[in-house]
Amino acid sequence: MTDALKRLSDEGVAIWLDDLSRKRITSGNLAELIDQSHVVGVTTNPAIFQKAISGGEGYEQQLTDLATRKVTVEEALRMITTADVRDAADILRPVYDRTDGQDGRVSIEVDPRLAHNTAATIAEAKQLAWLVDRPNTLIKIPATKAGLPAITEVIGKGISVNVTLIFSLERYREVMDAYLAGLEKAKAAGLDLSLIHSVASFFVSRVDSEIDKRLDAVGTDEAKALKGKAALANARLAYEAYEQVFASDRWAALERLGANKQRALWASTGVKDPAYKDTLYVDDLVAPNTVNTMPEATLEATADHGQITGDTVRGTYEQARAELDAVAKLGISYDDVVQLLEDEGVEKFEASWNDLLKSTEAELERLAPTEA
């Protein structure tokens, strides 16, 4: 069942699970996926925690204790989420040790309501790193304009970062620049660069969802022929940008000091359109030194019938450019699409976080001891 996952791993693609819950931790399921399905990392986001905690299983005792202490809902939420991330990090610690810190990582996101506040994002990232207190944690910072200087500052303090919500090629280059600037800050501070790691989460399926909708509105045969191509083209050109930046003299100077490349991570790799093969954003985004973080359904589909045929990214750049150009010629603005997706991404995570605050508050009230 896992031959395709092994082939994917052998091609240099780290397989991370885009999901976490306390039940997954305590049941042994996460350990099983590491052992049998080549999973070497975990990503979380506000929507994932909202689903896990609202489901409730495994959280009642901690919620009861927190209610008894009368903590605020924000504090309760951070205690719960950091506990899950800490436990997952401990399960993944052998992978972290085996891969010299490259994998075995668990990501946790700063409060999405801070996405447009640089100083608050930096403060939250430092707090999360302290709360989880595991070397194999990645702090997720969104790639908003306000997030970019926060990335530099947090990397400069020696905290490893997962940059999230990247949709555009221009923003991705800015993210890589922010990472290198952070490493240069860390070097100036005398920190060991070999201990700092980062991934850049480039979102995939949402690009097709938005552009396909606009292609349908155009309605011509030419437009319909381009459906399902923009997301792969965008991601492949992101990898071209990665190759260029990490072949630069600026990078070489840092690499000589032991710095690690910031890997491209393919995020949002579950297909949204049932007309597409369910392993599309896995099979067609195989390239060395990348990460693919998959929801469990995509992981299982890849194990069952994924078609891993070697590198499917390098050598495709001209075709990818032509496909995005063809979309633009139909009057669909790339800049408009990627900005909309970034704005929506922040809004969706904020909505999930607010829903989670409300449901956690309701649970704290339900479980609070009655006054004698």
Side-chain angles (χ1 to χ4, degrees):
M1 281 287 284
T2 57
D3 282 354
L5 294 173
K6 182 179 188 307
R7 287 197 297 277
L8 187 63
S9 184
D10 289 345
E11 288 290 341
V13 180
I15 300 165
W16 291 7
L17 178 70
D18 193 28
D19 190 55
L20 187 63
S21 67
R22 191 155 297 177
K23 183 181 179 186
R24 196 181 284 286
I25 292 165
T26 58
S27 68
N29 173 262
L30 178 58
E32 187 178 291
L33 290 172
I34 295 164
D35 186 50
Q36 298 178 15
S37 299
H38 304 276
V39 168
V40 292
V42 167
T43 48
T44 68
N45 62 44
I48 284 169
F49 278 128
Q50 200 270 332
K51 181 182 169 192
I53 297 170
S54 299
E57 198 166 341
Y59 295 100
E60 186 147 316
Q61 183 58 60
Q62 188 179 12
L63 280 163
T64 300
D65 292 343
L66 292 164
T68 303
R69 288 174 51 213
K70 298 182 179 178
V71 304
T72 65
V73 63
E74 282 89 355
E75 184 183 352
L77 199 44
R78 275 312 183 203
M79 291 299 102
I80 293 165
T81 57
T82 54
D84 280 0
V85 168
R86 190 181 307 113
D87 288 345
D90 287 344
I91 293 167
L92 278 153
R93 183 59 189 262
V95 177
Y96 170 84
D97 291 337
R98 189 176 73 239
T99 61
D100 291 327
Q102 178 161 265
D103 289 308
R105 295 276 176 176
V106 187
S107 297
I108 184 168
E109 191 138 358
V110 297
D111 185 332
R113 297 172 299 178
L114 308 178
H116 302 296
N117 185 327
T118 302
T121 294
I122 294 165
E124 171 96 341
K126 287 159 60 181
Q127 172 77 355
L128 283 174
W130 177 82
L131 268 175
V132 176
D133 193 27
R134 294 294 184 272
N136 50 331
T137 311
L138 290 171
I139 307 302
K140 289 180 86 171
I141 297 176
T144 56
K145 277 292 184 188
L148 294 170
I151 293 157
T152 295
E153 194 64 30
V154 172
I155 290 288
K157 294 184 182 302
I159 297 170
S160 295
V161 171
N162 175 345
V163 184
T164 188
L165 289 176
I166 308 170
F167 296 95
S168 84
L169 296 168
E170 180 185 2
R171 185 56 53 84
Y172 179 43
R173 286 187 179 275
E174 291 174 336
V175 164
M176 289 187 283
D177 181 71
Y179 175 61
L180 297 187
L183 289 175
E184 288 158 353
K185 266 185 164 282
K187 172 195 163 192
L191 300 180
D192 182 350
L193 300 192
S194 71
L195 299 178
I196 303 170
H197 287 259
S198 183
V199 294
S201 295
F202 199 87
F203 278 55
V204 185
S205 66
R206 294 187 198 180
V207 174
D208 270 343
S209 296
E210 183 59 34
I211 289 183
D212 283 0
K213 186 167 67 179
R214 299 182 186 210
L215 290 168
D216 279 335
V218 173
T220 64
D221 288 344
E222 183 188 6
K224 288 174 184 171
L226 287 167
K227 286 182 68 176
K229 294 188 174 176
L232 288 173
N234 199 39
R236 286 164 169 172
L237 292 176
Y239 192 80
E240 180 189 40
Y242 158 85
E243 288 190 304
Q244 290 166 350
V245 168
F246 290 102
S248 67
D249 292 341
R250 183 186 183 191
W251 166 248
L254 291 163
E255 189 173 38
R256 284 193 291 273
L257 297 170
N260 301 288
K261 290 178 180 176
Q262 181 187 56
R263 287 183 293 174
L265 177 151
W266 311 128
S268 184
T269 55
V271 297
K272 304 285 195 287
D273 187 334
Y276 301 152
K277 64 177 178 176
D278 52 3
T279 59
L280 176 66
Y281 304 125
V282 179
D283 298 349
D284 290 9
L285 285 176
V286 177
N289 206 34
T290 57
V291 179
N292 195 311
T293 186
M294 309 178 203
E296 190 167 24
T298 305
L299 181 75
E300 290 173 352
T302 303
D304 183 62
H305 52 264
Q307 296 175 322
I308 310 303
T309 57
D311 190 331
T312 48
V313 173
R314 290 180 297 183
T316 67
Y317 304 144
E318 290 312 310
Q319 180 191 346
R321 255 186 289 279
E323 286 166 349
L324 288 187
D325 286 347
V327 169
K329 279 176 186 152
L330 293 171
I332 296 170
S333 166
Y334 176 85
D335 290 343
D336 182 60
V337 166
V338 293
Q339 187 59 55
L340 174 73
L341 290 171
E342 180 186 305
D343 293 343
E344 283 184 350
V346 172
E347 286 165 12
K348 283 175 182 173
F349 280 170
E350 221 177 289
S352 293
W353 194 252
N354 285 329
D355 287 346
L356 185 47
L357 285 168
K358 283 177 198 160
S359 58
T360 303
E361 187 170 35
E363 282 297 283
L364 290 171
E365 287 172 3
R366 182 178 72 84
L367 296 166
T370 52
E371 298 294 336

